[in-house]
Amino acid sequence: MRMKRFLMTACLAALPMLGATVAQAQGTLRIGMTAADIPLTHGQPDQGFEGNRFTGIPLFDSLTMWDLSSADKPSVVIPGLATEWAVDANDKTRWVFRLRRGVKFHDGSDFTADAVVWNVRKILDREAPHYDPRQVGITATRMPTLRRAEKIDDYTVALFTAEPDSLLPINLTNLFMASPTQWERLRAANANAEATWNAFAREPSGTGPFRMTRFVPRERAEYARFDGYWSDKAKLDRIVILPIPEANARTAALLSNQVDWIEAPAPDAIPQLRQRGMVITSNAQPHVWPWQPCFAEGSPLRDVRVRRAINLGIDREGLRTLLGGMMSIPVGTVPRGHPWFGNPSFNIRTDKAEARRLLAEAGYTAQRPLTLKVQISASGSGQMQPLPMNEFLQQDLKQIGVNVEFDVVEWNTLFANWRQGCTHASARGAHATNVSFAAMDPFFAMVRFWDSKMAPPVSNNWGFFNDPRFDAMIAEARNAFEPAARDAALARLHAAGVDEALFIWIAHDVSPRAMSPRVRGYVQPQSWFVDLRLPFIQ
């Protein structure tokens, strides 16, 4: 709790300055993020999916996009800058995408197949003059089979994968299209590609519904509506994005009218926020808040009995009470009834007696207790309330004889370490990492964690899990291009993952947000993301 008080004091001290610098204007929405810095604005955001939410989707578009228009049904992939796509019947490693005509970048240049090829090369082609290593780790881990792009004509492009991969169209929601014309204009005044990308981040040009008008690192980003947008235009005139990493500081900013909208309000402040007329929104969403185990030699979490014991030792109802009800209780990565749930034999629940029995069977007793080290963050995208949640787990697991130590790092550091793996020096001996993740598509939900080929630095198999059975099930899913067959393969994969307790499943987020009653028209979809074209200020 001392960590929490320290951070709260530091953040609250900054609030008067923050309030003095945010001018109110009709049609301006001010948002307090959980991140400690503005996510990168060069086209491929960092800061996890909060980066996609606040600098990726508003400023840039992707070939495929998420439908964020409804609160009543799961978000699905829809056409974006591509209007249609299909895998080549004769070559399952080749996809053909038809592009939307008449789309303009913020700088006025045209979006064409040349722009798609250019944006693929920026992350995959080391020989490209605009190749940016900083964007590789952020992007390539999210679409690791993509290899190259080839122009067919001005509005048709072919994308090639290293192996048949039915998941590619979903992965492409993370490849944002930056303007080649803007980059080349800035290149003339800069010494090299890195300096040019730095300049581009200050003056980004995408095709998104907003364009950036001001950028101050660690302080703010300001957007204006892009009236040349190809689809429905935003209702807001302006958006101001502010990093406020501590939950109590975000809550104070909302109550003092310094912002209109905050991510992840402090749970114990929700009654006060409601009493003051603030609107609290939440929704079921595909979001897992776990501990991800390390399977390397010497890790106690290599033993399935230990992983099952910890899953059984957690009082999730107590955790939900701590969060003011703002979580749902997981029984796996996806809920029962989901097409991918399958039929696991291990029932994730609270059963402390069975947890103690399994630990004793694995050799851990009161005389030889289990000690775990977990790397966590103090805040961050999708991290909910990481300090109080982890402190609760630390006390709760003592009841089954497990001692938990924490290595607390900044969110973006934790996220970067996630791509290094548990054997890397950056893990500092951690047996688990606490990075929340999206489960809205098969790659993000399961494949990147359980495929041995996804071990660092390729993707997010942080724990170096390696089991030929899982590799075979993943290959089956990747090669299933019919939805029903793919769902059946994924159900078998998920059931096997639950039976092996490949995560410590702790919570599903419901993405609570608190807003001023002046914010109207907002839709909270069943997604990590939101459509910032919809809300307006009354």
Side-chain angles (χ1 to χ4, degrees), residues 78-100:
I78 58 174
L81 294 176
T83 58
E84 57 182 301
W85 53 90
V87 69
D88 189 323
N90 299 315
D91 181 359
K92 292 297 195 292
T93 67
R94 181 178 184 267
W95 290 79
V96 176
F97 287 77
R98 309 288 180 187
L99 305 183
R100 194 175 298 278

Side-chain angles (χ1 to χ4, degrees), residues 184-437:
E184 292 295 343
R185 181 183 70 80
L186 295 168
R187 178 68 180 89
N190 287 280
N192 52 41
E194 181 179 358
T196 305
W197 278 115
N198 291 340
F200 188 96
R202 294 188 294 270
E203 301 179 60
S205 176
T207 66
F210 293 90
R211 55 184 179 83
M212 196 169 77
T213 57
R214 187 184 179 199
F215 174 70
V216 182
R218 294 174 296 281
E219 182 181 320
R220 72 207 298 98
E222 298 183 9
Y223 306 156
R225 180 178 57 241
F226 178 43
D227 289 327
Y229 191 56
W230 56 269
S231 186
D232 294 337
K233 295 176 179 56
K235 297 176 182 177
L236 289 163
D237 297 322
R238 295 175 64 241
I239 295 176
V240 180
I241 307 293
L242 301 160
I244 311 176
E246 209 285 319
N248 287 290
R250 288 193 300 277
T251 301
L254 180 61
L255 288 171
S256 61
N257 194 34
Q258 296 177 72
V259 296
D260 308 296
W261 155 336
I262 60 172
E263 302 284 286
D268 55 3
I270 287 176
Q272 180 189 10
L273 288 165
R274 285 191 170 121
Q275 187 178 28
R276 293 277 295 272
M278 302 301 169
V279 177
I280 309 297
T281 69
S282 65
N283 203 349
Q285 66 177 48
H287 176 176
V288 181
W289 197 92
W291 287 352
Q292 182 179 354
C294 177
F295 295 88
E297 191 68 38
S299 170
L301 295 178
R302 283 171 61 92
D303 191 325
V304 66
R305 296 169 297 184
V306 174
R307 300 194 300 273
R308 285 187 173 190
I310 297 171
N311 270 294
L312 294 171
I314 296 170
D315 176 11
R316 295 174 182 83
E317 284 290 356
L319 184 61
R320 180 156 62 180
T321 299
L322 174 74
L323 295 175
M326 291 297 178
M327 65 165 269
S328 60
I329 292 177
V331 289
T333 292
V334 297
R336 285 192 179 91
H338 192 285
W340 308 338
F341 185 76
N343 188 30
S345 60
F346 176 52
N347 178 25
I348 297 170
R349 64 198 187 280
T350 301
D351 187 339
K352 292 186 183 292
E354 177 64 5
R356 294 186 193 98
R357 187 193 71 78
L358 286 169
L359 286 172
E361 187 178 297
Y364 298 102
T365 63
Q367 292 72 38
R368 183 178 177 261
L370 170 63
T371 297
L372 292 179
K373 183 176 182 180
V374 185
Q375 195 166 76
I376 70 172
S377 67
S379 65
S381 170
Q383 293 294 90
M384 300 177 69
Q385 307 293 338
L387 292 181
M389 290 173 73
N390 277 300
E391 288 171 348
F392 175 92
L393 294 169
Q394 185 180 51
Q395 295 301 313
D396 190 38
L397 290 173
K398 282 183 179 179
Q399 298 177 39
I400 63 168
V402 176
N403 299 320
V404 181
E405 303 171 355
F406 294 123
D407 178 22
V408 185
V409 298
E410 188 270 332
W411 160 240
N412 221 32
T413 300
L414 183 71
F415 194 75
N417 293 354
W418 201 30
R419 299 191 294 267
Q420 304 287 351
C422 68
T423 61
H424 192 269
S426 64
R428 301 201 286 216
H431 303 118
T433 188
N434 174 217
V435 181
S436 60
F437 66 86

